[in-house]
Amino acid sequence: FTMCCTTCKEFMYRGKKFNSKKEIAQDVNYLGIHIHRFFIKCTRCASEIVFRTDPQNADYHMEHGATRNYEVWNDKREQEEGAIAEREE
C-alpha cells in the first residue's frame, strides 16, 4: 500500500523496498491468527512508521508515523460487498 510520512510528507509507494523489524502483537489476534506488527523508517527523514496486518480484511492497518493514501480499488471492493449484502437481504 502507498503511505505518506506524517513528519516530512514523503510518499512511499507500493513495491518500495524497506528493511523492517517484525514482531507478533501480543495484545491482538483474529480467529487464532497472529497479528504481525512491522516497524520501518521513513526513507527521507528516518522517523519510525508502524503498521500491522489485518487478516479480517486481508490488508494492513496503519498505527502511527504515516497515513495511508486513497486507493480506488478499496472503494470498488466496498461497493461490491455492499451490493452482495443487499442481494442477500
Side-chain angles (χ1 to χ4, degrees), residues 39-54:
F39 299 87
I40 64 172
K41 299 229 181 237
C42 174
T43 55
R44 188 159 135 198
C45 69
S47 65
E48 186 177 59
I49 298 170
V50 181
F51 58 94
R52 63 180 165 89
T53 57
D54 182 10

Side-chain angles (χ1 to χ4, degrees), residues 3 9 15 19 21 28 33 40 43-44 56 59 63 68 72:
M3 62 184 132
K9 307 298 185 221
N19 290 328
K21 185 176 107 177
V28 196
I33 299 171
I40 64 172
T43 55
R44 188 159 135 198
Q56 183 176 7
D59 205 1
E63 289 191 341
R68 289 188 71 156
V72 176

Side-chain angles (χ1 to χ4, degrees), residues 15-76:
K16 183 119 174 122
K17 302 287 183 183
F18 291 102
N19 290 328
S20 68
K21 185 176 107 177
K22 179 181 87 169
E23 72 175 24
I24 295 175
Q26 300 296 327
D27 54 340
V28 196
N29 70 24
Y30 174 73
L31 299 175
I33 299 171
H34 294 293
I35 308 263
H36 295 275
R37 186 173 283 132
F38 297 92
F39 299 87
I40 64 172
K41 299 229 181 237
C42 174
T43 55
R44 188 159 135 198
C45 69
S47 65
E48 186 177 59
I49 298 170
V50 181
F51 58 94
R52 63 180 165 89
T53 57
D54 182 10
Q56 183 176 7
N57 299 315
D59 205 1
Y60 294 96
H61 174 73
M62 187 63 62
E63 289 191 341
H64 70 83
T67 56
R68 289 188 71 156
N69 292 344
Y70 174 74
E71 297 170 332
V72 176
W73 52 86
N74 285 341
D75 283 347
K76 185 176 179 180

